[in-house]
Amino acid sequence: MSHDDALPLTPEAAVPEGRPPEPARPPEPVRLPEPVRTAGQARSALARLLDAAGHPGGRVLADAQLAVTELVANALRHGGGLTCFDARLGACGTELVVDVEDGDDRHPVAQRLHDRDPATAGGRGWAIVQALAATCQVVPLPAGGKRIRVTFAL
């Protein structure tokens, strides 16, 4: 084969003349099918979501389940009730995104875990969430209350 007959080495050169390559599409986000009202339902929903997306779960699932247990329990106990729970895969499928909303405007209070008396109950939830999640964001909602968004790398 002569040098002029060599096959193209780049993908752009392999596209038929006059036809641009099709852009790659990100995977469709996988979302929760039903509303969540309890910490147990949130844990189950995360397991089903990751399973439906073909993700094995493992450590990511365990960390996310513990974090949402804390967030949902705190919304129910301290935030005036859970007003919204949503979980989905990020647009590129490389992260799990969880939103927990409640009716209280106050932000969670972080207490360092090693400063807590181990015999005292409570007060560790937000520190646990911050330790487990890749990112944590608290956003005030226009009608009152807040949204806490946490992400976990997949």
Side-chain angles (χ1 to χ4, degrees):
M1 178 183 315
S2 73
H3 179 68
D4 294 334
D5 295 332
L7 295 175
L9 298 177
T10 62
E12 296 80 32
V15 175
E17 196 172 315
R19 194 167 143 203
E22 291 188 28
R25 289 188 204 167
E28 288 293 319
V30 178
R31 299 191 67 95
L32 295 177
E34 70 276 341
V36 168
R37 294 188 178 22
T38 68
Q41 289 173 336
R43 289 189 301 272
S44 295
L46 291 181
R48 286 192 310 277
L49 177 70
L50 290 180
D51 184 56
H55 192 277
R59 177 71 184 240
V60 171
L61 176 59
D63 288 353
Q65 285 179 319
L66 178 54
V68 301
T69 297
E70 293 295 336
L71 292 172
V72 170
N74 285 343
L76 295 171
R77 189 174 303 127
H78 307 293
L82 180 67
T83 57
C84 181
F85 179 91
D86 183 53
R88 63 203 172 279
L89 296 187
C92 294
T94 59
E95 68 180 359
L96 171 64
V97 181
V98 179
D99 291 332
V100 176
E101 296 179 9
D102 65 39
D104 193 337
D105 295 334
R106 294 175 295 163
H107 284 223
V109 177
Q111 295 181 347
R112 296 186 329 180
L113 292 176
H114 68 277
D115 289 345
R116 298 279 308 164
D117 176 358
T120 304
R124 295 170 184 84
W126 185 237
I128 289 170
V129 170
Q130 289 179 309
L132 296 173
T135 66
C136 300
Q137 180 184 32
V138 181
V139 177
L141 298 173
K146 65 186 168 293
R147 172 184 303 123
I148 298 177
R149 175 169 291 166
V150 293
T151 64
F152 302 88
L154 294 178

